[in-house]
Every structure is written in C-alpha cells, then in structure tokens.
Amino acid sequence: ILAAWNSAYAANAVFTPPALTGRVTDEAHVLPREEAARLEAALAAHEAKTTEQVVVATVPSLQGLGIEEYANRLFRAWGLGQKDKNNGVLLLVAPNEREVRIEVGYGLEGALTDALSSRIIHEIMLPAFRSGDMPGGVEAGTLAVLKVLGGGALPGAQPAREDSWEPLIVFGLFLALWLIGIYFGRRGGGRFGPGGF
C-alpha cells in the first residue's frame, strides 16, 4: 500500500523545471565558473559538429521525484535534441539527494547504451564524488559522454579484435584435454568427471 501511495504521489507531484540557461545549467552551484565555461565550449563544439545536443544540469532538489522520473520530465520539458532525430543527452546531478543519471534520447541509445552510461557514472563520476571532487566528477563524466558519442572507448575497455586467435586456442586446448580424458578414462587411467579435472 505504501509503495502504491508513493508511486501515486510521484506521478502527481508538481514538477517545476529550472530554466534552461545553457548547455551547462548549474542550479546547485557546484561548478566553478571556469570549469562551466570549459564544458559549455566543449558541448557547443560537439553540437556544431554532430547536431547532438548534450546538456549538463545540476539541481538543488528532485522535488520529491525519483532521479529517473525527474530526468525524464526535465529532458522533455527542455526538448533536448533535434525533434526529428531525438538526439539529446541529459547528464543530471542532484548533489543533495546524492543521485546521478544520464538520460539519452532514442536516437542515441545505440551509441550511448545503458551499460556505457552506467560505467560512466559508477567508474568515472562516483569515485570523484566520493573523494569530494564533485566538479571534477561532473567534468570527467561529461567528457566521457562526448568521447563515447564520438566513437571512442572508455578507459579499460578493449576493442574487439576480429583477427584474434585467442578464442580458437582456448577452444583447442579444451578439446585436447577432453579427448585425452576420454582416452585415459576408457583405459582406466583416472576420472574425468565430478571430482576430477
């Protein structure tokens, strides 16, 4: 009953979106002016090159909504991305609720997947936040989003190699061991099953 009430409350909560003042809208005042200007320039350059609109927003409150619902409403209220391409991205940080989300328009979901967004948040942004560097985390997360949209890989991600022989070598070794086990098993040389290899 409580969960249903909370869901109904969230659905009916009054949502007042902050004004979209630029590609960096820092309502929670966590970004130094110089850093906000750097990010604004990087986002403007990306949009001029690709038409993809990436916006960074920090808010002082989620207004009683969950981060996912708030981000979705804010994304729609601001109309991010080109209407015919739905190629907008919202990187939302709510420091008081300690919540972060990357909301992606349908047109970019193939490039900036849920898995990649999760990696950007958990591997790049949150470690910086936990160490007390919120501005650095926001900047690093934003640049990671732009890198992925530009076709780059995140740190630690290894591109697939089509000419790699490693899977074949592993399979060949496994097959050889399996055949040896069968051969010696038939000759009474030991067990190749539960409790064996």
Side-chain angles (χ1 to χ4, degrees):
I1 295 175
L2 182 60
W5 186 87
N6 287 336
S7 178
Y9 173 78
N12 295 317
V14 176
F15 171 68
T16 305
L20 178 61
T21 57
R23 295 175 182 85
V24 178
T25 299
D26 185 23
E27 291 289 310
H29 307 294
V30 300
L31 300 174
R33 183 176 301 176
E34 298 79 8
E35 181 174 325
R38 281 199 309 270
L39 290 179
E40 183 80 30
L43 296 172
H46 179 82
E47 185 173 349
K49 181 179 179 181
T50 67
T51 75
E52 298 164 356
Q53 186 176 36
V54 181
V55 170
V56 176
T58 71
V59 294
S61 170
L62 294 175
Q63 303 178 27
L65 298 170
I67 184 75
E68 183 174 352
E69 178 68 17
Y70 187 97
N72 185 268
R73 291 192 187 191
L74 188 59
F75 189 99
R76 288 186 280 117
W78 283 353
L80 300 184
Q82 294 185 323
K83 188 174 181 179
D84 59 331
K85 295 182 179 179
N86 204 345
N87 59 348
V89 175
L90 171 65
L91 193 160
L92 175 66
V93 179
N96 292 326
E97 285 95 343
R98 303 174 67 86
E99 296 276 7
V100 186
R101 180 167 177 83
I102 299 175
E103 191 75 15
V104 183
Y106 293 122
L108 292 179
E109 285 183 343
L112 186 57
T113 63
D114 289 344
L116 288 170
S117 295
S118 179
R119 285 192 59 202
I120 291 171
I121 291 172
H122 290 92
E123 297 177 16
I124 296 174
M125 299 183 70
L126 293 187
F129 290 173
R130 289 175 184 136
S131 68
D133 186 10
M134 184 161 288
V138 172
E139 182 169 19
T142 303
L143 295 179
V145 167
L146 296 181
K147 183 175 183 179
V148 168
L149 291 177
L154 294 177
Q158 298 296 326
R161 291 173 49 190
E162 296 180 1
D163 59 342
S164 176
W165 289 91
E166 292 176 5
L168 291 177
I169 292 172
V170 171
F171 175 77
L173 287 173
F174 178 82
L175 182 60
L177 289 172
W178 181 67
L179 291 173
I180 291 170
I182 290 177
Y183 176 77
F184 283 105
R186 288 177 176 174
R187 294 172 59 89
R191 292 189 304 171
F192 190 82
F197 175 80

Coordinates of all heavy atoms in Angstrom, one line a residue, residues 8 10 12 29 40 48 62 68 76-77 93 118 138 140 158 162 178 186 191:
A8 N 1.9 6.9 -6.6 CA 0.8 7.9 -7.0 C 1.3 9.3 -6.7 O 1.0 10.2 -7.4 CB -0.5 7.5 -6.3
A10 N 4.4 10.4 -6.6 CA 5.4 10.8 -7.5 C 4.7 11.2 -8.9 O 5.2 12.2 -9.5 CB 6.4 9.7 -7.7
N12 N 1.8 12.4 -9.4 CA 1.1 13.7 -9.3 C 1.9 14.8 -8.7 O 1.3 15.9 -8.5 CB -0.2 13.4 -8.4 CG -1.2 12.4 -9.0 OD1 -1.4 12.5 -10.2 ND2 -1.7 11.5 -8.2
H29 N 24.9 25.0 -8.1 CA 26.1 25.8 -7.8 C 27.3 24.9 -7.4 O 27.9 25.2 -6.3 CB 25.8 26.9 -6.8 CG 24.7 27.8 -7.2 ND1 24.6 28.6 -8.3 CD2 23.4 27.9 -6.6 CE1 23.5 29.2 -8.4 NE2 22.7 28.8 -7.4
E40 N 30.9 24.2 -21.4 CA 30.0 24.8 -22.3 C 30.6 24.9 -23.7 O 29.9 24.6 -24.7 CB 29.7 26.2 -21.8 CG 28.7 27.0 -22.7 CD 27.2 26.6 -22.4 OE1 26.9 26.3 -21.3 OE2 26.4 26.7 -23.4
A48 N 27.9 21.5 -32.7 CA 28.1 22.1 -34.0 C 28.6 21.1 -35.0 O 28.3 21.1 -36.2 CB 29.2 23.3 -33.9
L62 N 15.2 17.2 -6.3 CA 14.4 16.5 -7.3 C 12.9 16.6 -7.1 O 12.1 15.9 -7.7 CB 14.8 15.0 -7.1 CG 16.3 14.6 -7.5 CD1 16.5 13.1 -7.2 CD2 16.5 14.9 -9.0
E68 N 15.1 9.1 -12.0 CA 14.7 8.6 -13.3 C 13.5 9.5 -13.8 O 13.5 10.0 -15.0 CB 14.4 7.2 -13.4 CG 14.1 6.6 -14.8 CD 13.9 5.1 -14.8 OE1 14.2 4.5 -13.8 OE2 13.5 4.6 -15.8
R76 N 12.2 16.1 -21.4 CA 11.0 16.5 -22.2 C 10.7 18.0 -22.1 O 10.3 18.6 -23.1 CB 9.8 15.6 -21.9 CG 10.0 14.2 -22.4 CD 8.7 13.3 -22.2 NE 8.6 12.9 -20.8 CZ 7.6 13.2 -20.0 NH1 6.7 14.1 -20.4 NH2 7.6 12.8 -18.7
A77 N 10.8 18.5 -20.9 CA 10.4 19.9 -20.7 C 11.4 20.8 -21.5 O 11.0 21.9 -22.0 CB 10.5 20.3 -19.2
V93 N 22.8 15.8 -12.2 CA 23.4 15.6 -10.9 C 22.5 16.3 -9.9 O 22.3 17.5 -10.0 CB 24.8 16.1 -10.8 CG1 25.4 15.8 -9.4 CG2 25.7 15.4 -11.9
S118 N 26.0 3.6 -17.4 CA 26.3 3.1 -16.0 C 27.8 3.1 -15.7 O 28.2 3.4 -14.6 CB 25.7 1.7 -15.9 OG 26.0 1.1 -14.6
V138 N 31.9 15.8 -12.4 CA 31.0 16.2 -13.5 C 31.7 16.4 -14.8 O 31.2 16.0 -15.9 CB 30.3 17.5 -13.0 CG1 29.5 18.1 -14.2 CG2 29.4 17.3 -11.8
A140 N 34.6 15.1 -15.8 CA 35.1 13.9 -16.3 C 34.0 13.0 -16.9 O 34.1 12.4 -18.0 CB 35.8 13.0 -15.2
Q158 N 38.5 -2.7 -24.0 CA 39.4 -3.2 -25.1 C 38.5 -3.4 -26.3 O 37.5 -4.2 -26.3 CB 40.1 -4.5 -24.7 CG 41.0 -4.4 -23.5 CD 42.1 -3.4 -23.7 OE1 42.6 -3.4 -24.9 NE2 42.6 -2.7 -22.7
E162 N 38.9 -8.7 -34.5 CA 38.3 -9.7 -35.4 C 39.3 -10.8 -35.8 O 38.9 -11.9 -36.1 CB 37.7 -9.0 -36.6 CG 36.6 -8.1 -36.3 CD 36.0 -7.4 -37.6 OE1 36.5 -7.8 -38.7 OE2 35.1 -6.6 -37.5
W178 N 39.9 -32.7 -23.2 CA 38.6 -33.5 -23.2 C 38.9 -34.9 -23.8 O 38.5 -35.9 -23.3 CB 37.5 -32.8 -23.8 CG 36.2 -33.5 -23.8 CD1 35.4 -33.8 -22.7 CD2 35.5 -34.1 -24.9 NE1 34.3 -34.5 -23.1 CE2 34.3 -34.7 -24.5 CE3 35.8 -34.1 -26.3 CZ2 33.4 -35.3 -25.3 CZ3 34.9 -34.7 -27.2 CH2 33.7 -35.3 -26.7
R186 N 38.8 -44.5 -20.6 CA 38.5 -45.8 -21.2 C 39.6 -46.8 -20.8 O 39.3 -48.0 -20.7 CB 38.3 -45.7 -22.7 CG 37.0 -44.9 -23.1 CD 36.9 -44.8 -24.6 NE 35.7 -44.2 -25.0 CZ 35.4 -43.8 -26.2 NH1 36.3 -44.0 -27.2 NH2 34.3 -43.3 -26.5
R191 N 39.8 -40.4 -13.3 CA 38.4 -39.9 -13.6 C 38.5 -38.5 -14.3 O 39.3 -37.7 -14.0 CB 37.7 -39.7 -12.2 CG 37.4 -40.9 -11.5 CD 36.6 -40.7 -10.3 NE 37.2 -39.7 -9.4 CZ 36.6 -39.2 -8.3 NH1 35.3 -39.5 -8.1 NH2 37.2 -38.3 -7.6

